[in-house]
Amino acid sequence: MSFFGFDTSLPRDRGHPAMAPGFSQATDHFAGLSNADDDDDDGIDFEDTYDGLGDKLDEKDDAFNDETFGAPEEAIGKDFDFHGATARVADAMEEEHEVFNRSARNQSVARVAAAPTQPARVEPPTHVPVLRPDMSLWGSGPATTPQPEPQPDPTPVVPPVGRKILSLEEVEAQILANNEQKHQSSFQQPPAQAHQLPPQHQHTPPIVTPQLHQYPPPQHDLHQLQSQQFPARIQSMLQRNQTPPQVQHRQIPEQHPGGVPLQQQRMQPVAQPLHPSRNQYGMTNHVPTPQLQKMTEAEKARFLEEESKRLKRNHKIAQLARYNGLMTPADKNFITRIQLQHLVSINNAEDNANEDFYYIVHSAIRARTNPQQPLNQFAQTYLFRQSARGRNRQQDNHLQRMEQQVQRAVAAAKARPKASQLVLEGSLGKISFSNVKTPRPMLNIKKSDTSGGEPIRRTQRSTFSSADRKSLLRAIENVYDALLELEVHERERAKLPILMPDQQPQQAHVEWSTRRDQLVAKLWKETKIMEPIDPMSTATHPFIAILSYSKMKRAVQRIFRHLDPEQRVTVLTMIVVHLDILDVVKHGVYLPDETQLPSAVREEIEMFAASVLPPLLGYVYEAPLSIVIGLLGILLERVDVVAVSKTKIGLAFLTMFSSRAEIVKQAGGAPENELQQWQMMYDRLFDSLQGHWMECFPPGMFVDDVYVWQFLASIAVGANMPQQQALVSAVKDRVMENVRASKTLPPELGAQKSANVNLFMRAIGLDVELLG
Amino acid sequence: MLFFSFFKTLVDHEVTIELKNDLSIRGTLKSVDQFLNIKLDDIMVLEEAKYPHLAAVRNVFIRGSVVRYVHLPAGAVDTALLEDATRREASNAAAAKGR
């Protein structure tokens, strides 16, 4: 604080130059609060500058004072007693004291006596200020009435001449009258003012009312003066007389423009003696006691609640205010633009399915497997998260308005025609602007559309027999494109209105199913399965050719889902017919010196077993016997069965047919002629494999041969007595070998091996245990 | 948009980000935007001894342009779906070009 009341704050202490050009003046709402806690910056306080040397003095070492100062103790004169001298001289002051002591009668008598010469400028008694009972006297008083040190007044105040001195009785009467008047008028005051006035000088700790004291600049000097010259009581009275301008300034801090902090900083020290319980944000703990006293219990409770709410709110604001002014309006605009761009792209529904395909489908799958986690759109999370949380109606209103604004802005941005490219004269390509989807601008080089690539590819596609790898891959991609289109369309079924079983399908349903049929037909065509089979040609059938790629193998399962039974049997027939040239069969035969297939082939075989076989198996296990007979007939007729039986996949097909037929046979109900036909087929199969049973086994002792045992079991079940004997004598060595090996192997592997053998043994009515 | 779409599904999964300055950070992916800027939480620097100044850092925002690799959690990636999404992207691009 400045002693002479000058503004000692340095420019750098005045905070952010809120009025400077380029800075927002609207953003500084809470600047007053944010600067309130460093109110010591503006001046020099005694406590801050005192170096503490005085504390180091040793007060006890007075023994040699005589020697040092050369004077006996009795000889000390009184000429340094300025205080006493002043008291004796200033007769006029006595009068002032009298008036002062009366007006401030609720000050302790002791204090008046202790400071008999307290100088004070007193208001003319003609308008004795309204006095109110000071609650501090009844409660925790003394702390709130600071004791200013009596000090010689550099500018003694001369009382007005000819002024009438009031007696105690007169003063009291005046106060009473004044009080009554005030009381009446207080009802006509606007509630806010009535509410805020009393707390000014009434202090009782239990209830806290945050209030910010900000005084208009013109009052500054006056306050400085007052704080030095007058005791707190008088000062508070003076202040009350100045309340109208104050009220105007003590509103919610938001209404102050950026200039406030400066004033406030300067005013803080002045207000200090009045508000010792000021907190760091310049808020004081107040109680509007008289009002509180007038209230009923319920009102009181409500009032207190409101007060605490307000305190909380102010605290929050003050905390947030730390980050005020970090961004300029330009920064904010920039960010808003980015966010809007983002929202535009997010809300673009039809683009969404295309652009955000992975996210949407992935979340749909996850939502299906984990129903607890609802599928939520990013935009919804972005916009509605807060409104779900906010219970405050006013807050909701704001959010709603914001949502509406965002929606409007998004609509406007969408409506605006987008120029996505710029063609400069003489440039080689187009310069495309960055947007949300393509954040990096890129240069689009013009390409002439009349390149020779397209026609060539088209001719290749038409003559598919001479297909090269590239066109095969292209064909697979076409299958996938058709498949994806169909799947998206299937997903749209959910959007259709739900039909009751007896209801006529609506227009939408009809359209949907026609479109579906179209897409299925397209997919069917893309698989190239209907290309005619030319037995004379050396070229592979296109379907078999593309099936040699694992990409296509993976697709089979998905394609199968959309096919009708007739199409399914077509697929199955196509594969069976070409079983020996199927890549997994052709490459699945072990060469004489091989104990293991190349890893690429093994992967293909596994892929085939995992993706292609299951749907085929699923179909065959529900197929009627006639189809099984027919398929096996084709197989025996067109394919080298012995070669096929040497491979895992080939055996899988044979197992599939024989076990299905056996199941139908045992279930009964199959027509007699079909059973006879099947028996013929079976005999043919058995005869062709006779003598080659051992070749079914993969080379090596410790390989996975369970599929062979499965096949043998399925054959043995349907075999007659001589066939069984032939079979057993053929594989007897292998059985014995396996049983022996199972005993030397670790228990787990051994058990596995004997269980495999047992598959076959059980089929012929034996058991491994019987072999000892 | 494919990668953006893809990385969005990895939110709340643990990923390892390898930056172009050879710093590797493992953490929980909190958010990603169309620039593939990345926000990580509960981070851990793989070579802690080499970068002691990052020992106390708990979360980071990584500018997309400084990322060299993102190590993905294999379990959270649906490769078949990713292939399909790539096909969609390609067909979209083709459609956009034709337009």
Side-chain angles (χ1 to χ4, degrees), chain A residues 165 265 276:
Chain A
I165 307 291
Q265 276 181 5

PDB file of all heavy atoms in Angstrom, chain A residues 165 265 276:
ATOM      1  N   ILE A 165     -22.690  21.107  19.993  1.00  0.00           N
ATOM      2  CA  ILE A 165     -22.296  19.813  20.538  1.00  0.00           C
ATOM      3  C   ILE A 165     -23.527  19.136  21.093  1.00  0.00           C
ATOM      4  O   ILE A 165     -24.255  19.696  21.914  1.00  0.00           O
ATOM      5  CB  ILE A 165     -21.267  19.982  21.659  1.00  0.00           C
ATOM      6  CG1 ILE A 165     -20.089  20.822  21.183  1.00  0.00           C
ATOM      7  CG2 ILE A 165     -20.829  18.632  22.183  1.00  0.00           C
ATOM      8  CD1 ILE A 165     -19.239  20.155  20.160  1.00  0.00           C
ATOM      9  N   GLN A 265      -7.047  -4.747  -7.161  1.00  0.00           N
ATOM     10  CA  GLN A 265      -5.767  -4.936  -6.501  1.00  0.00           C
ATOM     11  C   GLN A 265      -5.465  -3.758  -5.596  1.00  0.00           C
ATOM     12  O   GLN A 265      -5.002  -3.908  -4.481  1.00  0.00           O
ATOM     13  CB  GLN A 265      -4.666  -5.029  -7.540  1.00  0.00           C
ATOM     14  CG  GLN A 265      -4.532  -6.432  -8.090  1.00  0.00           C
ATOM     15  CD  GLN A 265      -3.434  -6.500  -9.088  1.00  0.00           C
ATOM     16  OE1 GLN A 265      -2.724  -5.516  -9.282  1.00  0.00           O
ATOM     17  NE2 GLN A 265      -3.281  -7.631  -9.716  1.00  0.00           N
ATOM     18  N   PRO A 276     -11.251  -8.877   7.724  1.00  0.00           N
ATOM     19  CA  PRO A 276     -10.084  -9.690   8.046  1.00  0.00           C
ATOM     20  C   PRO A 276     -10.232 -11.117   7.551  1.00  0.00           C
ATOM     21  O   PRO A 276      -9.248 -11.797   7.338  1.00  0.00           O
ATOM     22  CB  PRO A 276     -10.024  -9.683   9.567  1.00  0.00           C
ATOM     23  CG  PRO A 276     -11.218  -8.912  10.025  1.00  0.00           C
ATOM     24  CD  PRO A 276     -12.066  -8.546   8.871  1.00  0.00           C
TER      25      PRO A 276
END
